[in-house]
Amino acid sequence: MTVYNFPYKDASFLISEVLGFDRMCEEAGLEDMNSEMVAAILDEAGRLGSEIIAPLNSIGDQKGASLDEKGVHETPGFAEAYQQFVESGWPSLNASEAYGGQKMPRVLGAAVAEVWQSSNLAFSLCPLLTGGAIEAITVHGSDELKDIYLPNMVSGKWTATMNLTESAAGSDLAAVTSRAVPEGDHYLLFGQKIFITWGDHQMTENIIHLVLARLPDAPTGVKGISLFLVPKFLLDENGQPGERNDVYCVSIEHKLGIHASPTCVMNFGDNGGAVGYLVGEPHNGLAAMFTMMNDARQGTGMQGMSLSERSYQQAREYAKERLQGTHSDGTRFPIIEYPDVRRMLMMMKAATEAMRGLAYIAAAEIDRVHWAKDPKEAKKHAERTGLYTPIVKGWITELAQEITSLGLQIHGGMGYVEETGSAQHCRDVRITTIYEGTTGIQGLDLVGRKILADKGEVLQGLLDEIQATANAMSGIDELAGQASALKNAVTSGREARAWLLENAAQDRNVAGAVSVNFMMMLGYICGGWVMGQSALKAIHLLKGDGNDESFLRAKVVTAQFYVDHLLPRADSYLATVKAGADSIMALDADQF
Ligand SMILES: Cc1cc2nc3c(=O)[nH]c(=O)nc-3n(C[C@H](O)[C@H](O)[C@H](O)COP(=O)(O)OP(=O)(O)OC[C@H]3O[C@@H](n4cnc5c(N)ncnc54)[C@H](O)[C@@H]3O)c2cc1C
């Protein structure tokens, strides 16, 4: 069985030093929150993750969820682990205090989420979706719905799901056809949803489904979709689960990875109608769902990073143990001695640290939106969050495919067979570029809504900030080379921005054709920025006494590796952006 340990040093360094967590909390008036507390919380989460949740990862892979006439049965051991997770108070970490939550900063929530996701992605999806539903109800639900449902969801006593997708409505949610018919103080829902994560299980006594459906008078398209809360069990007069509601899982998918996460086909209303309650305004359901988008999409980016970390840890241990060479004195040596294995390990280490840094920076930006005292400041942080989100989701999950694949490669043939568990990470991570909006949808969101819509102004601000980091690095001899590479990357970013603004207006295919490459380019530049900030901090701390010299030196070297081997990709993406749409769109559909 493979061991997992949360990378405390890197996480704490990023939160405390790079993000300046204590100063952030002070400015936000969170007097009782500080880096020491973060360390204690991460330590606690790390223990539960390593000891209880991670050991269930390969068990869940081998014996996934199953369905019989009583419903979906989760992998044996999951219910007990979930119980411990609830008893330790983890579901309530980020939720509002009004419903029993602890309202901890989002960036801390992101670090804690890494523990669950690295330990066991399939398990982590259940509380993750519940968190999203809590947020949707908190922001859009009536006081009555909040009072009735939120306390038990926040405590983790009940879990929740998101029911958006239908067989004809995937990326294009305008095509949703599920119906909701008014009946007294509630609605009756009819329709079928597919691919619903943790749509059913036996771990809790109720499951709260959030469902997109159309009212009878709904306009067509995305503006005619409403959001409903549909409990698995209707509540009795004491607020306890009573009568079974007309919503059932009718099948579960057999799929590439995350076998322990049941992916359910959910039928609503086969026996007269599933009772549901409107959340928010009629016809405004998609907007309600989209308020959680930054969280959910950044959370999916975190999943890519978390599995990259898990895969890295496993590959690192294997590389130290696997003897595959003989010294002249006859002693055998491990594969970590080979430069090419070092290259792969450094790729894994540098990419994962860059991903983690960017994911934390983006999560902290969500905190800044909530903490801003001035609406103008809040708007600025919200716009920056909007820019980061598709990069965190798109770039990290795409890069994670390569990183987990390198993890398998380091294992040689043992990676390809299931025994080592390395293949599971590749299979599990594959979904992250698909759900919560495919990579293509992230690219369109970035280029269309976040860059072209404001003529590249917010992007300009980010590039200026990266340039400022590069300027600060130039003043330090040891970082001068890294600084000039980062400056070049910023110049490439500016060139791509200008090219996009000029060309997207002239050819309607341009934005769609270049968007994913544009997003990948920005991802690599942001990664360089994070590594640059880390190197700056490390050099500063190395001058002081009592700091972890080995860790800090490794940070500077890892940043150098990033500049040498990952940052140059920004330039090749620039070339693909500037190639435009011509050769992409030149063939007729029947020439394929
Ligand atoms: C394991 C798993 C768990 C899931 N969990 C949930 C869940 O809990 N709740 C839920 O509601 N859904 C869930 N989903 C559904 C998931 O969100 C969708 O699969 C995803 O949104 C993509 O939709 P689709 O599969 O219909 O693909 P399609 O939309 O058919 O896309 C196919 C391809 O076309 C591209 N494409 C489509 N439209 C565009 C466009 N406008 N521009 C450019 N390219 C485009 C896509 O990028 C993709 O490459 C889950 C799916 C899986 C596999």
Side-chain angles (χ1 to χ4, degrees):
M1 188 198 305
T2 63
V3 177
Y4 164 70
N5 288 306
F6 179 67
Y8 294 100
K9 278 189 190 172
D10 198 47
S12 305
F13 172 79
L14 285 166
I15 293 178
S16 305
E17 303 296 341
V18 176
L19 286 173
F21 186 75
D22 289 347
R23 200 184 57 246
M24 258 177 78
C25 291
E26 240 175 81
E27 283 168 12
L30 302 177
E31 282 126 18
D32 50 352
M33 181 66 53
N34 55 44
S35 296
E36 266 174 40
M37 196 166 168
V38 168
I41 290 172
L42 289 178
D43 197 46
E44 208 46 53
R47 218 185 337 270
L48 182 65
S50 305
E51 291 172 12
I52 307 294
I53 300 173
L56 290 168
N57 195 39
S58 66
I59 297 174
D61 189 47
Q62 286 156 36
K63 185 169 178 10
S66 58
L67 176 70
D68 65 16
E69 64 288 350
K70 292 193 182 121
V72 174
H73 299 273
E74 62 282 347
T75 296
F78 270 46
E80 293 75 11
Y82 183 76
Q83 200 49 41
Q84 286 201 42
F85 182 82
V86 169
E87 280 163 12
S88 317
W90 294 111
S92 65
L93 196 71
N94 288 120
S96 157
E97 283 147 328
Y99 302 100
Q102 304 173 58
K103 200 76 192 126
M104 293 281 178
R106 187 66 57 180
V107 65
L108 175 58
V112 168
E114 179 181 340
V115 177
W116 318 134
Q117 292 166 357
S118 286
S119 298
N120 191 328
L121 182 61
F123 177 92
S124 74
L125 294 175
C126 188
L128 181 112
L129 284 156
T130 308
I134 290 171
E135 180 116 355
I137 298 169
T138 305
V139 177
H140 299 283
S142 65
D143 287 344
E144 193 187 357
L145 279 186
K146 290 186 210 176
D147 291 342
I148 296 174
Y149 289 95
L150 284 181
N152 285 326
M153 292 168 72
V154 168
S155 72
K157 197 171 173 198
W158 301 343
T159 65
T161 68
M162 300 292 204
N163 291 248
L164 284 68
T165 308
E166 298 177 5
S167 57
S171 301
D172 180 14
L173 287 170
V176 160
T177 58
S178 290
R179 296 180 299 121
V181 181
E183 192 195 64
D185 66 346
H186 58 262
Y187 295 81
L188 291 179
L189 275 84
F190 302 89
Q192 185 178 75
K193 296 286 177 181
I194 63 166
F195 293 159
I196 304 309
T197 298
W198 284 98
D200 193 30
H201 59 81
Q202 312 300 322
M203 301 196 297
T204 56
E205 58 189 34
N206 210 354
I207 301 173
I208 310 304
H209 304 289
L210 287 190
V211 187
L212 289 181
R214 288 183 185 281
L215 290 166
D217 59 343
T220 53
V222 284
K223 296 216 169 89
I225 300 171
S226 306
L227 181 64
F228 298 88
L229 184 158
V230 180
K232 176 177 173 182
F233 289 98
L234 298 171
L235 304 186
D236 64 20
E237 60 280 11
N238 302 316
Q240 296 305 312
E243 193 189 328
R244 185 73 166 81
N245 201 2
D246 187 9
V247 46
Y248 291 92
C249 170
V250 294
S251 68
I252 55 176
E253 306 294 347
H254 296 279
K255 54 194 192 296
L256 183 66
I258 52 169
H259 294 154
S261 166
T263 303
C264 305
V265 176
M266 303 295 295
N267 277 13
F268 293 81
D270 282 356
N271 307 299
V275 173
Y277 309 95
L278 185 67
V279 179
E281 297 298 313
H283 313 317
N284 205 29
L286 213 55
M289 279 282 162
F290 269 55
T291 53
M292 304 157 346
M293 195 179 68
N294 289 325
D295 264 2
R297 291 189 167 173
Q298 288 191 18
T300 312
M302 286 287 306
Q303 294 170 24
M305 182 272 283
S306 303
L307 285 184
S308 299
E309 170 67 32
R310 180 94 194 245
S311 180
Y312 167 63
Q313 288 191 15
Q314 198 171 324
R316 182 185 62 196
E317 298 319 306
Y318 189 80
K320 288 179 183 175
E321 285 165 11
R322 171 70 174 157
L323 303 178
Q324 205 56 208
T326 310
H327 287 300
S328 51
D329 65 1
T331 57
R332 302 203 77 204
F333 61 85
I335 58 170
I336 196 165
E337 301 297 327
Y338 290 116
D340 188 55
V341 174
R342 288 295 183 98
R343 173 189 65 81
M344 291 191 278
L345 282 174
M346 282 305 293
M347 286 288 279
M348 295 185 82
K349 178 173 165 58
T352 305
E353 290 180 17
M355 293 177 194
R356 179 177 297 113
L358 181 61
Y360 285 8
I361 285 176
E365 203 66 28
I366 299 184
D367 283 327
R368 291 195 174 96
V369 177
H370 296 307
W371 295 345
K373 295 186 177 80
D374 163 13
K376 267 198 201 145
E377 273 293 297
K379 181 169 175 280
K380 205 182 89 196
H381 292 304
E383 286 168 350
R384 181 64 75 83
T385 302
L387 184 68
Y388 284 145
T389 298
I391 306 174
V392 167
K393 162 66 163 90
W395 174 65
I396 293 182
T397 61
E398 287 290 336
L399 182 53
Q401 309 303 316
E402 180 184 346
I403 298 308
T404 50
S405 177
L406 284 174
L408 186 153
Q409 186 73 13
I410 288 171
H411 285 77
M414 287 308 286
Y416 195 72
V417 299
E418 294 287 355
E419 197 180 314
T420 52
S422 192
Q424 186 190 347
H425 307 317
C426 296
R427 289 187 286 99
D428 285 355
V429 81
R430 193 63 193 83
I431 186 59
T432 60
T433 64
I434 297 171
Y435 58 21
E436 280 302 334
T438 60
T439 304
I441 297 299
Q442 303 308 316
L444 287 181
D445 178 45
L446 176 73
V447 161
R449 289 200 201 94
K450 312 296 170 55
I451 298 178
L452 292 174
D454 77 346
K455 299 198 168 46
E457 207 176 301
V458 177
L459 173 59
Q460 181 88 303
L462 173 63
L463 291 170
D464 289 346
E465 210 174 309
I466 301 175
Q467 177 95 40
T469 301
N471 292 345
M473 291 162 72
S474 306
I476 295 167
D477 286 350
E478 210 175 334
L479 298 183
Q482 293 188 30
S484 101
L486 188 55
K487 281 181 194 168
N488 286 342
V490 172
T491 305
S492 298
R494 293 196 199 283
E495 204 178 321
R497 173 185 170 276
W499 186 94
L500 181 73
L501 291 177
E502 193 185 325
N503 288 276
Q506 286 162 24
D507 176 350
R508 68 185 188 90
N509 281 326
V510 159
V514 307
S515 58
V516 166
N517 288 333
F518 199 101
M519 181 191 73
M520 295 302 286
M521 180 197 67
L522 284 186
Y524 284 108
I525 297 174
C526 287
W529 178 42
V530 173
M531 296 307 273
Q533 292 180 64
S534 297
L536 266 176
K537 267 287 162 200
I539 295 273
H540 172 73
L541 292 173
L542 277 165
K543 290 184 189 134
D545 288 333
N547 293 317
D548 184 340
E549 195 175 336
S550 164
F551 170 79
L552 295 170
R553 280 265 150 244
K555 260 287 164 201
V556 179
V557 171
T558 308
Q560 181 66 50
F561 177 90
Y562 187 96
V563 156
D564 294 342
H565 295 272
L566 283 156
L567 194 56
R569 293 183 182 188
D571 269 347
S572 48
Y573 277 113
L574 169 66
T576 64
V577 167
K578 284 167 64 182
D582 292 352
S583 57
I584 292 179
M585 297 304 290
L587 297 183
D588 290 332
D590 59 14
Q591 287 179 281
F592 282 90

